[in-house]
Amino acid sequence: MKLALLQPQFAPNLFDLASMLKADQVIWNDLERWSRKGRTHRAAIKGEHGLQWINIPIRTEDKKKAIGEVCIDHTEDWIEPFWNALLHNYSDATWFDFFAEELEADIRDFHNFEKLIDLNISFFEQLSSYMEYEVNFQLASQITEFDPDPDIFSNNLNAEVLYQEHEAKNYQWLSDRHVQALKKHPVYRQGRGNFIPGLSILDLLFHYGKESFRVFDHL
């Protein structure tokens, strides 16, 4: 059995999505402590000057809590800048106009979410429907066999292969035996400038839309 153990993400990159697509069982670790270095609250896009992050602000008092308990800081005006970053950087992309209206509505609905985990689940599922891929996952808090030690947990589930988050050693407990699901990042059309690997699937959505399977086939 192949197990993918990752933190919740609203728009994962292709390294982490490959782990989810290749695994027999996908667990989102909502019990791990939140970290600003993680990708639970942010996603990488291609900006005018290269890689750029779009962020969801976290309440200061929640920054030492488990991911599943973290709440969004709605005292900041963050939804408009979040959407404007996508609008500014991708309005000329092939599929932007096709998804813009629905995606903007999804993002403006972010104000209805109190907990980060609920937003992550909702938006991840929306993106999966737009891009026509399927990932079934469970939260670590729902698994009786869960253990914070990834080696013990994978043994509890009799997992022969363990995938974990890409380049996560600074914020996630990684097993020495975890393997990388995607060894060579596929190169695809990104528009202006040089190709940047490791961007979130939002980049792929705007450039390939419902033809994203052409890239997924290389995962």
Side-chain angles (χ1 to χ4, degrees), residues 29-201:
N29 190 354
D30 59 326
L31 297 176
E32 203 156 34
R33 180 173 167 172
W34 180 85
S35 170
R36 63 178 180 81
K37 296 180 180 179
R39 296 189 290 274
T40 60
H41 63 296
R42 60 181 185 156
I45 63 171
K46 191 173 186 178
E48 189 173 351
H49 302 291
L51 188 146
Q52 176 181 334
W53 292 97
I54 49 176
N55 300 276
I56 299 171
I58 303 303
R59 292 198 315 193
T60 302
E61 60 268 32
D62 288 355
K63 291 184 177 180
K64 293 184 178 181
K65 293 183 179 180
I67 292 167
E69 297 302 317
V70 166
C71 290
I72 301 166
D73 184 359
H74 286 297
T75 63
E76 290 189 30
D77 178 19
W78 66 276
I79 294 177
E80 194 72 28
F82 189 104
W83 168 247
N84 284 340
L86 297 176
L87 178 64
H88 176 74
N89 291 302
Y90 291 106
S91 59
D92 293 334
T94 304
W95 284 81
F96 182 84
D97 290 341
F98 186 88
F99 289 107
E101 185 175 348
E102 285 183 276
L103 197 64
E104 181 179 7
D106 293 335
I107 291 170
R108 295 198 181 281
D109 191 50
F110 284 175
H111 73 275
N112 289 319
F113 291 92
E114 178 183 3
K115 286 192 172 182
L116 177 65
I117 184 68
D118 295 329
L119 186 154
N120 282 349
I121 291 172
S122 176
F123 196 60
F124 176 84
E125 292 177 343
Q126 283 292 88
L127 290 181
S128 68
S129 68
Y130 295 151
M131 303 178 78
E132 299 181 352
Y133 66 82
E134 184 176 356
V135 172
N136 295 314
F137 61 88
Q138 294 174 280
L139 298 179
S141 57
Q142 300 170 332
I143 307 295
T144 56
E145 300 93 344
F146 182 76
D147 192 282
D149 185 323
D151 289 313
I152 294 175
F153 180 47
S154 57
N155 287 336
N156 289 346
L157 296 183
N158 297 315
E160 298 170 349
V161 176
L162 174 63
Y163 300 128
Q164 289 190 269
E165 204 157 317
H166 182 65
E167 296 184 347
K169 64 179 181 180
N170 293 324
Y171 61 87
Q172 191 175 38
W173 189 345
L174 297 180
S175 166
D176 289 336
R177 69 181 188 89
H178 84 278
V179 297
Q180 191 167 312
L182 182 62
K183 293 186 169 45
K184 184 177 180 181
H185 195 290
V187 176
Y188 61 88
R189 181 185 68 251
Q190 280 186 346
R192 65 180 183 272
N194 296 327
F195 179 80
I196 302 176
L199 298 182
S200 76
I201 56 174

